[in-house]
Amino acid sequence: GNSVTQMEGPVTLSEEAFLTINCTYTATGYPSLFWYVQYPGEGLQLLLKATKADDKGSNKGFEATYRKETTSFHLEKGSVQVSDSAVYFCALSASGAGSYQLTFGKGTKLSVIP
Amino acid sequence: GAGVSQSPRYKVAKRGQDVALRCDPISGHVSLFWYQQALGQGPEFLTYFQNEAQLDKSGLPSDRFFAERPEGSVSTLKIQRTQQEDSAVYLCASSLDRGTGGNTIYFGEGSWLTVV
């Protein structure tokens, strides 16, 4: 079946530090890949997505590249801010039948300190 | 409203009680989803509606769980005879179209259920 494995947290960084959160996946075919973010007290929000190999998703300074050869979709940001403190979830939706269903990783909690 | 709205936000139920969780999707959204998120875990798929039709209920953990969307808008997730293992956040989400891969899915803030 489909699965997503992401770096366990929590991760604590100082403001302006470089962020990487690793995500690898197992899926048949050509899944779409997503990063969702959950800020304290809020619902899940789509951060970025990529729908085919070598696509780069980007938003709010975050980037992730769909690497089919390594089945990875690592999240990066060059300079984090305190406001980036949140839980980050990597997710996939399979191609074909059942493509509406998202499979999530366990989440990585990021805390950014001033 | 502008987003997906869920109620109640917090619910404490005694073991054996029935609970009903409500979801108001974004107006006009065809697809509606329910997910269950246990503490420290990622959300897990429960069920999917396209308009009023429940097309996939493969993720419902037992026959104590039942979901409906009778008029193709508001949905209710019902849990009968609640057990402690049902304690989780129940997330509702909606999507404008048929929810195929790559389309944006919008989540509500969730209903936090604690069974004591």
Side-chain angles (χ1 to χ4, degrees):
Chain A
N2 302 324
S3 67
V4 174
T5 303
Q6 65 181 100
M7 173 177 164
E8 289 194 19
V11 174
T12 302
L13 295 174
S14 297
E15 208 165 19
E16 299 184 3
F18 184 85
L19 169 71
T20 300
I21 301 178
N22 290 337
C23 172
T24 58
Y25 67 89
T26 301
T28 54
Y30 301 91
S32 295
L33 302 173
F34 307 84
W35 278 99
Y36 278 83
V37 59
Q38 191 169 36
Y39 297 104
E42 298 185 16
L44 277 169
Q45 301 174 26
L46 178 65
L47 180 60
L48 53 84
K49 68 180 182 183
T51 58
K52 61 183 189 294
D54 299 326
D55 267 3
K56 178 185 285 187
S58 61
N59 186 26
K60 300 182 180 180
F62 290 89
E63 291 184 340
T65 301
Y66 187 163
R67 300 286 188 203
K68 190 160 178 65
E69 63 275 14
T70 54
T71 61
S72 66
F73 193 55
H74 304 320
L75 182 68
E76 297 182 336
K77 186 174 185 182
S79 176
V80 293
Q81 305 300 312
V82 172
S83 57
D84 295 327
S85 298
V87 182
Y88 292 82
F89 292 92
C90 185
L92 70 80
S93 67
S95 54
S99 60
Y100 47 81
Q101 185 178 143
L102 289 169
T103 299
F104 286 88
K106 291 186 176 182
T108 302
K109 183 175 181 180
L110 170 66
S111 297
V112 180
I113 55 177
Chain B
V4 178
S5 178
Q6 294 188 243
S7 61
R9 289 293 315 280
Y10 304 95
K11 174 71 179 177
V12 178
K14 291 185 178 179
R15 190 165 40 182
Q17 259 187 330
D18 297 350
V19 300
L21 309 175
R22 177 188 167 102
C23 173
D24 280 274
I26 295 172
S27 178
H29 277 199
V30 168
S31 295
L32 184 143
F33 311 84
W34 284 98
Y35 284 78
Q36 180 190 56
Q37 186 177 11
L39 189 64
Q41 303 294 314
E44 294 193 354
F45 172 81
L46 294 178
T47 187
Y48 165 54
F49 290 85
Q50 190 179 114
N51 296 307
E52 70 279 1
Q54 188 176 24
L55 299 187
D56 187 344
K57 55 182 181 179
S58 63
L60 296 177
S62 77
D63 59 8
R64 296 186 295 103
F65 286 71
F66 172 77
E68 60 183 5
R69 192 186 185 198
E71 296 178 359
S73 56
V74 170
S75 176
T76 304
L77 177 66
K78 297 179 179 177
I79 310 172
Q80 297 177 321
R81 304 181 304 281
T82 52
Q83 304 294 316
Q84 282 192 317
E85 62 263 27
D86 300 334
S87 296
V89 180
Y90 291 86
L91 300 172
C92 179
S94 69
S95 178
L96 179 60
D97 48 23
R98 286 176 171 75
T100 52
N103 294 303
T104 299
I105 296 174
Y106 298 87
F107 282 83
E109 294 180 354
S111 289
W112 295 65
L113 172 65
T114 302
V115 181
V116 298

